[in-house]
């Protein structure tokens, strides 16, 4: 017998949905867990292999600030996958909206669970090369979303230093920078 969900009771429904799940264990015991659901996301790290830099965004994240972290977080462009949209389309849309870059080929890394102890969210991760001419807009996000985004072009060597120094604390961005260094170490020299 495997672990099985016996019952799910709604607790809250809004941007996020919070439910209480009752599960059965192989030994016949039951236990409860809260589950947060708000959909899946896509994240992309645009990098310029010629100039050896990456496009990132800095924006306020209320949970991080509430937790005592910085008032803004450095991240790769990311966003929620809209209904009827695939992850690659979302990654391209978010890169254009947030960083003002039009992306071509995406290098998929996989889809990972963001925080599997509490959330259903899976994030599709991508690397994407770009050139200076692909910067077609200012970025900054959509006005009605009030994201307060600042776009930054960061040299890859500096970005790696931020990662090693504990300054890059967003897990999806941390993972993407690590993956880029594993695939293209020469860009960080």
């Amino acid at each position: 017998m495997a672990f099985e969900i016996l019952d799910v009771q709604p607790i809250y429904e809004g941007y996020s949905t919070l439910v209480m799940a009752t599960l059965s264990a192989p030994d016949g015991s039951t236990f409860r867990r809260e589950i947060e659901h708000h959909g899946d996301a896509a994240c992309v790290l645009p990098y310029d292999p010629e100039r050896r830099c990456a496009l990132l965004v800095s924006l306020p994240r209320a949970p991080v600030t509430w937790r005592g972290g910085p008032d803004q977080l450095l991240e790769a462009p990311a966003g929620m996958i809209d209904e009827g949209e695939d992850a690659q389309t979302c990654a391209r849309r978010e890169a254009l909206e947030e960083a003002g870059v039009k992306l071509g080929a995406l290098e998929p890394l996989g889809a990972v669970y963001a925080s599997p102890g509490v959330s259903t969210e899976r994030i599709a991760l991508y690397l994407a090369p770009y050139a200076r001419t692909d910067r077609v807009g200012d970025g900054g996000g959509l006005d009605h979303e009030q994201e307060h985004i600042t776009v930054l072009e960061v040299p890859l060597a500096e970005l790696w230093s931020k990662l090693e120094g504990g300054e890059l604390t967003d897990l999806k961005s941390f993972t993407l920078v690590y993956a880029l260094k594993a695939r293209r170490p020469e860009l960080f020299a």
Side-chain angles (χ1 to χ4, degrees), residues 56-189:
L56 291 109
V57 295
S58 177
L59 66 160
R61 293 294 195 188
V64 174
T65 303
W66 180 76
R67 175 75 167 79
D71 69 334
Q72 294 186 49
L73 205 58
L74 184 64
E75 303 179 34
M80 303 310 297
I81 299 172
D82 291 338
E83 191 170 329
E85 182 178 51
D86 64 37
Q88 289 194 14
T89 301
C90 175
R92 285 188 176 93
R93 174 179 51 78
E94 290 294 338
L96 185 58
E97 288 175 7
E98 293 186 0
V101 64
K102 187 172 183 178
L103 299 176
L106 298 178
E107 303 168 17
L109 297 177
V112 297
Y113 287 97
S115 183
V118 69
S119 179
T120 63
E121 180 184 44
R122 276 189 318 185
I123 303 175
L125 299 174
Y126 300 96
L127 299 172
Y130 77 95
R132 191 185 308 251
T133 56
D134 296 324
R135 297 284 308 274
V136 296
D138 294 332
L142 302 176
D143 288 340
H144 73 275
E145 292 182 355
Q146 298 181 329
E147 292 177 291
H148 305 281
I149 292 172
T150 302
V151 181
L152 303 164
E153 206 164 46
V154 182
L156 291 173
E158 179 184 329
L159 190 53
W160 186 252
S161 292
K162 287 181 181 299
L163 182 146
E164 287 188 311
E167 296 174 60
L168 186 62
T169 57
D170 172 59
L171 184 58
K172 61 190 181 301
S173 305
F174 186 99
T175 302
L176 287 167
V177 172
Y178 233 104
L180 181 58
K181 181 149 187 184
R183 289 182 178 198
R184 302 285 309 271
E186 75 279 5
L187 297 180
F188 291 79

Side-chain angles (χ1 to χ4, degrees), residues 22 76 84:
T22 303

